[in-house]
PDB file of all heavy atoms in Angstrom:
ATOM      1  N   ASP A  91       0.304  14.908   3.497  1.00 93.00           N
ATOM      2  CA  ASP A  91       1.490  14.952   4.352  1.00 93.00           C
ATOM      3  C   ASP A  91       1.227  14.310   5.714  1.00 93.00           C
ATOM      4  O   ASP A  91       2.082  13.622   6.263  1.00 93.00           O
ATOM      5  CB  ASP A  91       1.966  16.392   4.548  1.00 93.00           C
ATOM      6  CG  ASP A  91       2.580  16.974   3.292  1.00 93.00           C
ATOM      7  OD1 ASP A  91       3.029  16.188   2.426  1.00 93.00           O
ATOM      8  OD2 ASP A  91       2.608  18.216   3.164  1.00 93.00           O
ATOM      9  N   ALA A  92       0.039  14.539   6.267  1.00 93.00           N
ATOM     10  CA  ALA A  92      -0.306  13.943   7.562  1.00 93.00           C
ATOM     11  C   ALA A  92      -0.368  12.424   7.453  1.00 93.00           C
ATOM     12  O   ALA A  92       0.070  11.705   8.356  1.00 93.00           O
ATOM     13  CB  ALA A  92      -1.644  14.490   8.048  1.00 93.00           C
ATOM     14  N   VAL A  93      -0.885  11.931   6.332  1.00 94.00           N
ATOM     15  CA  VAL A  93      -0.962  10.484   6.106  1.00 94.00           C
ATOM     16  C   VAL A  93       0.448   9.904   6.022  1.00 94.00           C
ATOM     17  O   VAL A  93       0.747   8.880   6.647  1.00 94.00           O
ATOM     18  CB  VAL A  93      -1.767  10.171   4.819  1.00 94.00           C
ATOM     19  CG1 VAL A  93      -1.649   8.711   4.434  1.00 94.00           C
ATOM     20  CG2 VAL A  93      -3.219  10.561   4.999  1.00 94.00           C
ATOM     21  N   ARG A  94       1.319  10.571   5.271  1.00 94.00           N
ATOM     22  CA  ARG A  94       2.698  10.087   5.140  1.00 94.00           C
ATOM     23  C   ARG A  94       3.417  10.083   6.490  1.00 94.00           C
ATOM     24  O   ARG A  94       4.134   9.149   6.823  1.00 94.00           O
ATOM     25  CB  ARG A  94       3.477  10.970   4.156  1.00 94.00           C
ATOM     26  CG  ARG A  94       3.076  10.791   2.720  1.00 94.00           C
ATOM     27  CD  ARG A  94       3.940  11.686   1.826  1.00 94.00           C
ATOM     28  NE  ARG A  94       3.424  11.763   0.482  1.00 94.00           N
ATOM     29  CZ  ARG A  94       3.650  10.849  -0.464  1.00 94.00           C
ATOM     30  NH1 ARG A  94       4.377   9.803  -0.186  1.00 94.00           N
ATOM     31  NH2 ARG A  94       3.139  11.014  -1.664  1.00 94.00           N
ATOM     32  N   GLN A  95       3.223  11.143   7.261  1.00 94.00           N
ATOM     33  CA  GLN A  95       3.890  11.247   8.564  1.00 94.00           C
ATOM     34  C   GLN A  95       3.402  10.160   9.523  1.00 94.00           C
ATOM     35  O   GLN A  95       4.201   9.521  10.203  1.00 94.00           O
ATOM     36  CB  GLN A  95       3.642  12.625   9.165  1.00 94.00           C
ATOM     37  CG  GLN A  95       4.347  12.829  10.487  1.00 94.00           C
ATOM     38  CD  GLN A  95       4.145  14.221  11.044  1.00 94.00           C
ATOM     39  OE1 GLN A  95       3.441  15.043  10.466  1.00 94.00           O
ATOM     40  NE2 GLN A  95       4.753  14.494  12.181  1.00 94.00           N
ATOM     41  N   LYS A  96       2.099   9.939   9.580  1.00 95.00           N
ATOM     42  CA  LYS A  96       1.556   8.928  10.491  1.00 95.00           C
ATOM     43  C   LYS A  96       1.987   7.532  10.058  1.00 95.00           C
ATOM     44  O   LYS A  96       2.260   6.671  10.893  1.00 95.00           O
ATOM     45  CB  LYS A  96       0.024   9.027  10.545  1.00 95.00           C
ATOM     46  CG  LYS A  96      -0.570   8.307  11.709  1.00 95.00           C
ATOM     47  CD  LYS A  96      -0.072   8.929  13.004  1.00 95.00           C
ATOM     48  CE  LYS A  96      -0.756   8.360  14.200  1.00 95.00           C
ATOM     49  NZ  LYS A  96      -0.300   8.981  15.447  1.00 95.00           N
ATOM     50  N   ALA A  97       2.050   7.296   8.770  1.00 94.00           N
ATOM     51  CA  ALA A  97       2.514   6.003   8.266  1.00 94.00           C
ATOM     52  C   ALA A  97       3.962   5.765   8.676  1.00 94.00           C
ATOM     53  O   ALA A  97       4.322   4.662   9.112  1.00 94.00           O
ATOM     54  CB  ALA A  97       2.364   5.943   6.753  1.00 94.00           C
ATOM     55  N   ALA A  98       4.792   6.793   8.587  1.00 94.00           N
ATOM     56  CA  ALA A  98       6.197   6.666   8.977  1.00 94.00           C
ATOM     57  C   ALA A  98       6.318   6.400  10.481  1.00 94.00           C
ATOM     58  O   ALA A  98       7.129   5.575  10.906  1.00 94.00           O
ATOM     59  CB  ALA A  98       6.960   7.930   8.597  1.00 94.00           C
ATOM     60  N   GLU A  99       5.507   7.072  11.285  1.00 94.00           N
ATOM     61  CA  GLU A  99       5.533   6.880  12.737  1.00 94.00           C
ATOM     62  C   GLU A  99       5.167   5.451  13.126  1.00 94.00           C
ATOM     63  O   GLU A  99       5.676   4.918  14.101  1.00 94.00           O
ATOM     64  CB  GLU A  99       4.548   7.835  13.426  1.00 94.00           C
ATOM     65  CG  GLU A  99       4.988   9.267  13.466  1.00 94.00           C
ATOM     66  CD  GLU A  99       3.923  10.178  14.051  1.00 94.00           C
ATOM     67  OE1 GLU A  99       2.927   9.681  14.617  1.00 94.00           O
ATOM     68  OE2 GLU A  99       4.088  11.404  13.932  1.00 94.00           O
ATOM     69  N   ASN A 100       4.255   4.842  12.359  1.00 93.00           N
ATOM     70  CA  ASN A 100       3.768   3.503  12.685  1.00 93.00           C
ATOM     71  C   ASN A 100       4.438   2.398  11.872  1.00 93.00           C
ATOM     72  O   ASN A 100       4.016   1.251  11.938  1.00 93.00           O
ATOM     73  CB  ASN A 100       2.244   3.441  12.471  1.00 93.00           C
ATOM     74  CG  ASN A 100       1.514   4.196  13.548  1.00 93.00           C
ATOM     75  OD1 ASN A 100       1.528   3.810  14.709  1.00 93.00           O
ATOM     76  ND2 ASN A 100       0.899   5.302  13.180  1.00 93.00           N
ATOM     77  N   GLY A 101       5.423   2.763  11.068  1.00 93.00           N
ATOM     78  CA  GLY A 101       6.149   1.761  10.288  1.00 93.00           C
ATOM     79  C   GLY A 101       5.326   1.148   9.172  1.00 93.00           C
ATOM     80  O   GLY A 101       5.529   0.005   8.796  1.00 93.00           O
ATOM     81  N   VAL A 102       4.398   1.910   8.629  1.00 91.00           N
ATOM     82  CA  VAL A 102       3.546   1.434   7.537  1.00 91.00           C
ATOM     83  C   VAL A 102       4.178   1.860   6.216  1.00 91.00           C
ATOM     84  O   VAL A 102       4.437   3.043   6.006  1.00 91.00           O
ATOM     85  CB  VAL A 102       2.118   2.028   7.648  1.00 91.00           C
ATOM     86  CG1 VAL A 102       1.252   1.594   6.483  1.00 91.00           C
ATOM     87  CG2 VAL A 102       1.483   1.635   8.967  1.00 91.00           C
ATOM     88  N   SER A 103       4.428   0.895   5.336  1.00 90.00           N
ATOM     89  CA  SER A 103       5.009   1.192   4.037  1.00 90.00           C
ATOM     90  C   SER A 103       3.920   1.639   3.074  1.00 90.00           C
ATOM     91  O   SER A 103       2.883   0.986   2.960  1.00 90.00           O
ATOM     92  CB  SER A 103       5.713  -0.042   3.481  1.00 90.00           C
ATOM     93  OG  SER A 103       6.172   0.219   2.170  1.00 90.00           O
ATOM     94  N   LEU A 104       4.153   2.747   2.395  1.00 88.00           N
ATOM     95  CA  LEU A 104       3.195   3.245   1.414  1.00 88.00           C
ATOM     96  C   LEU A 104       3.625   2.914  -0.018  1.00 88.00           C
ATOM     97  O   LEU A 104       2.991   3.346  -0.965  1.00 88.00           O
ATOM     98  CB  LEU A 104       3.030   4.761   1.573  1.00 88.00           C
ATOM     99  CG  LEU A 104       2.470   5.221   2.913  1.00 88.00           C
ATOM    100  CD1 LEU A 104       2.442   6.740   2.968  1.00 88.00           C
ATOM    101  CD2 LEU A 104       1.091   4.661   3.149  1.00 88.00           C
ATOM    102  N   LYS A 105       4.682   2.127  -0.152  1.00 85.00           N
ATOM    103  CA  LYS A 105       5.143   1.748  -1.485  1.00 85.00           C
ATOM    104  C   LYS A 105       4.231   0.674  -2.053  1.00 85.00           C
ATOM    105  O   LYS A 105       3.820  -0.242  -1.333  1.00 85.00           O
ATOM    106  CB  LYS A 105       6.572   1.219  -1.421  1.00 85.00           C
ATOM    107  CG  LYS A 105       7.573   2.277  -1.037  1.00 85.00           C
ATOM    108  CD  LYS A 105       8.966   1.742  -1.059  1.00 85.00           C
ATOM    109  CE  LYS A 105       9.936   2.843  -0.675  1.00 85.00           C
ATOM    110  NZ  LYS A 105      11.314   2.376  -0.655  1.00 85.00           N
ATOM    111  N   PRO A 106       3.899   0.752  -3.325  1.00 78.00           N
ATOM    112  CA  PRO A 106       3.051  -0.266  -3.936  1.00 78.00           C
ATOM    113  C   PRO A 106       3.712  -1.642  -3.873  1.00 78.00           C
ATOM    114  O   PRO A 106       4.900  -1.777  -4.160  1.00 78.00           O
ATOM    115  CB  PRO A 106       2.902   0.180  -5.389  1.00 78.00           C
ATOM    116  CG  PRO A 106       3.301   1.607  -5.403  1.00 78.00           C
ATOM    117  CD  PRO A 106       4.245   1.811  -4.255  1.00 78.00           C
ATOM    118  N   THR A 107       2.947  -2.648  -3.479  1.00 72.00           N
ATOM    119  CA  THR A 107       3.503  -3.998  -3.347  1.00 72.00           C
ATOM    120  C   THR A 107       3.483  -4.769  -4.655  1.00 72.00           C
ATOM    121  O   THR A 107       4.059  -5.834  -4.740  1.00 72.00           O
ATOM    122  CB  THR A 107       2.726  -4.799  -2.294  1.00 72.00           C
ATOM    123  OG1 THR A 107       1.345  -4.834  -2.682  1.00 72.00           O
ATOM    124  CG2 THR A 107       2.869  -4.177  -0.931  1.00 72.00           C
ATOM    125  N   ASN A 108       2.842  -4.240  -5.676  1.00 67.00           N
ATOM    126  CA  ASN A 108       2.716  -4.966  -6.940  1.00 67.00           C
ATOM    127  C   ASN A 108       3.740  -4.543  -7.988  1.00 67.00           C
ATOM    128  O   ASN A 108       3.602  -4.848  -9.155  1.00 67.00           O
ATOM    129  CB  ASN A 108       1.301  -4.811  -7.498  1.00 67.00           C
ATOM    130  CG  ASN A 108       0.943  -3.367  -7.749  1.00 67.00           C
ATOM    131  OD1 ASN A 108       1.668  -2.469  -7.371  1.00 67.00           O
ATOM    132  ND2 ASN A 108      -0.202  -3.151  -8.371  1.00 67.00           N
ATOM    133  N   GLN A 109       4.787  -3.831  -7.584  1.00 62.00           N
ATOM    134  CA  GLN A 109       5.800  -3.397  -8.536  1.00 62.00           C
ATOM    135  C   GLN A 109       7.130  -4.068  -8.225  1.00 62.00           C
ATOM    136  O   GLN A 109       7.490  -4.257  -7.067  1.00 62.00           O
ATOM    137  CB  GLN A 109       5.984  -1.882  -8.476  1.00 62.00           C
ATOM    138  CG  GLN A 109       4.790  -1.126  -9.016  1.00 62.00           C
ATOM    139  CD  GLN A 109       5.048   0.370  -9.011  1.00 62.00           C
ATOM    140  OE1 GLN A 109       6.033   0.855  -8.479  1.00 62.00           O
ATOM    141  NE2 GLN A 109       4.132   1.109  -9.604  1.00 62.00           N
ATOM    142  N   SER A 110       7.859  -4.406  -9.254  1.00 59.00           N
ATOM    143  CA  SER A 110       9.167  -5.023  -9.089  1.00 59.00           C
ATOM    144  C   SER A 110      10.181  -3.979  -8.626  1.00 59.00           C
ATOM    145  O   SER A 110      10.134  -2.838  -9.075  1.00 59.00           O
ATOM    146  CB  SER A 110       9.664  -5.597 -10.408  1.00 59.00           C
ATOM    147  OG  SER A 110       8.753  -6.496 -10.929  1.00 59.00           O
ATOM    148  N   PRO A 111      11.111  -4.371  -7.776  1.00 58.00           N
ATOM    149  CA  PRO A 111      12.135  -3.415  -7.374  1.00 58.00           C
ATOM    150  C   PRO A 111      13.138  -3.176  -8.502  1.00 58.00           C
ATOM    151  O   PRO A 111      13.328  -4.029  -9.363  1.00 58.00           O
ATOM    152  CB  PRO A 111      12.805  -4.099  -6.188  1.00 58.00           C
ATOM    153  CG  PRO A 111      12.539  -5.545  -6.379  1.00 58.00           C
ATOM    154  CD  PRO A 111      11.225  -5.639  -7.103  1.00 58.00           C
ATOM    155  N   TYR A 112      13.767  -2.048  -8.493  1.00 63.00           N
ATOM    156  CA  TYR A 112      14.835  -1.676  -9.425  1.00 63.00           C
ATOM    157  C   TYR A 112      14.412  -1.706 -10.891  1.00 63.00           C
ATOM    158  O   TYR A 112      15.195  -1.977 -11.762  1.00 63.00           O
ATOM    159  CB  TYR A 112      16.064  -2.576  -9.224  1.00 63.00           C
ATOM    160  CG  TYR A 112      16.487  -2.674  -7.795  1.00 63.00           C
ATOM    161  CD1 TYR A 112      16.404  -3.873  -7.126  1.00 63.00           C
ATOM    162  CD2 TYR A 112      16.935  -1.557  -7.112  1.00 63.00           C
ATOM    163  CE1 TYR A 112      16.763  -3.971  -5.792  1.00 63.00           C
ATOM    164  CE2 TYR A 112      17.294  -1.636  -5.779  1.00 63.00           C
ATOM    165  CZ  TYR A 112      17.214  -2.847  -5.127  1.00 63.00           C
ATOM    166  OH  TYR A 112      17.558  -2.939  -3.800  1.00 63.00           O
ATOM    167  N   ASN A 113      13.148  -1.489 -11.165  1.00 61.00           N
ATOM    168  CA  ASN A 113      12.652  -1.398 -12.534  1.00 61.00           C
ATOM    169  C   ASN A 113      12.900  -2.668 -13.361  1.00 61.00           C
ATOM    170  O   ASN A 113      13.132  -2.596 -14.546  1.00 61.00           O
ATOM    171  CB  ASN A 113      13.288  -0.200 -13.227  1.00 61.00           C
ATOM    172  CG  ASN A 113      12.242   0.792 -13.660  1.00 61.00           C
ATOM    173  OD1 ASN A 113      11.050   0.561 -13.475  1.00 61.00           O
ATOM    174  ND2 ASN A 113      12.672   1.890 -14.228  1.00 61.00           N
ATOM    175  N   ARG A 114      12.902  -3.805 -12.732  1.00 62.00           N
ATOM    176  CA  ARG A 114      13.119  -5.045 -13.456  1.00 62.00           C
ATOM    177  C   ARG A 114      11.842  -5.496 -14.146  1.00 62.00           C
ATOM    178  O   ARG A 114      10.762  -5.446 -13.578  1.00 62.00           O
ATOM    179  CB  ARG A 114      13.560  -6.156 -12.502  1.00 62.00           C
ATOM    180  CG  ARG A 114      14.889  -5.885 -11.890  1.00 62.00           C
ATOM    181  CD  ARG A 114      15.287  -7.034 -11.004  1.00 62.00           C
ATOM    182  NE  ARG A 114      16.483  -6.660 -10.273  1.00 62.00           N
ATOM    183  CZ  ARG A 114      16.954  -7.332  -9.254  1.00 62.00           C
ATOM    184  NH1 ARG A 114      16.321  -8.398  -8.820  1.00 62.00           N
ATOM    185  NH2 ARG A 114      18.030  -6.942  -8.636  1.00 62.00           N
TER     186      ARG A 114
END
């Protein structure tokens, strides 16, 4: 939770970059 909160505060995306959006 602390990692998620700090990432949100600093504008860091935790979403995987190797996945297609919308399940395509």
Side-chain angles (χ1 to χ4, degrees):
D91 289 337
V93 170
R94 288 182 192 278
Q95 182 177 2
K96 196 62 173 181
E99 286 175 11
N100 287 293
V102 177
S103 175
L104 297 176
K105 293 183 180 179
T107 58
N108 60 351
Q109 291 183 352
S110 304
Y112 310 114
N113 241 358
R114 295 182 188 168

